[in-house]
Amino acid sequence: MTAPIGLLGGTFDPIHIGHLRTAIQSMERLGLAEVRLLPNHIPPHRATPASAPAHRLAMVRLAAAATPGLTVDARELNRQTPSYTIDTLIELRRELGSRPLCFLMGMDSLCGLNGWHRWRELLDHAHLVVSHRPGWQPAFNPEVEALFHRHGTRDRERLHHQPAGCIHLLDNPELEISSSRLRECIRSGNNPQYLLPETVADYIREQGLYQGPVL
């Protein structure tokens, strides 16, 4: 079976080094063929993004172009409905057949997974790879605890030998950076250097993003 494809979704408003390090480390440690960045159009669990879809897509493309192994999948931006992960996974499974898929997420997302649309079906179509702080024991609610008990694994080889169905905890601490803090940094006139790719910082300056009202 060919190497898995990683999937990383988000508003990417803007994309920053926290997103990119998660993608790079997951790709290296799990032997992923690539990681596809999936910018949301209408995020189900977050406020409306501060910048327009075209700007967010442009920034993601700039970041991916500078990072070997990253690609961009704009399908969620082309929908006028909320960007439900299950819809994207079903589409990709139809396109890719039995190719293993690894959906990358943070531990906070796994802890709240039972609030996601059709969450019980996600593992029918992909593995869930969860960035995990070493030594930290998450407090799962009973529904997620039961799911993890059935599907949790530390064996990365299972991600290569079956197309879906595993929850893999990856020792991959998330950087303490968020898009909301970055937007506030830029809005306050502070320098965001080293928190996001220079090409993305240049684009933000050129387009005047995050300086005032929603664009």
Side-chain angles (χ1 to χ4, degrees), residues 79 81-92 117-118:
R79 298 184 194 136
T81 55
S83 300
Y84 292 126
T85 298
I86 186 62
D87 295 335
T88 298
L89 294 182
I90 289 172
E91 286 184 6
L92 286 168
H117 182 60
R118 294 168 59 186

Side-chain angles (χ1 to χ4, degrees), residues 40-52:
N40 307 149
H41 182 204
I42 306 172
H45 305 290
R46 294 176 180 267
T48 301
S51 56

Side-chain angles (χ1 to χ4, degrees), residues 90-119:
I90 289 172
E91 286 184 6
L92 286 168
R93 180 54 64 208
R94 287 172 180 160
E95 294 168 13
L96 298 172
S98 61
R99 183 77 176 262
L101 297 176
C102 292
F103 187 82
L104 312 180
M105 62 169 57
M107 182 57 75
D108 57 339
S109 294
L110 179 62
C111 288
L113 192 69
N114 59 323
W116 289 35
H117 182 60
R118 294 168 59 186
W119 65 281

Side-chain angles (χ1 to χ4, degrees), residues 9 17 23 42 44 59 62-63 90 102 126 131 153 156 160 170-171 173 177 183 194 215:
I17 61 169
I42 306 172
M59 289 187 284
L62 287 168
I90 289 172
C102 292
S131 292
T153 182
R156 63 162 251 172
H160 286 249
L170 182 66
D171 290 340
I177 177 175
R183 293 194 298 271
Y194 305 124
L215 298 176

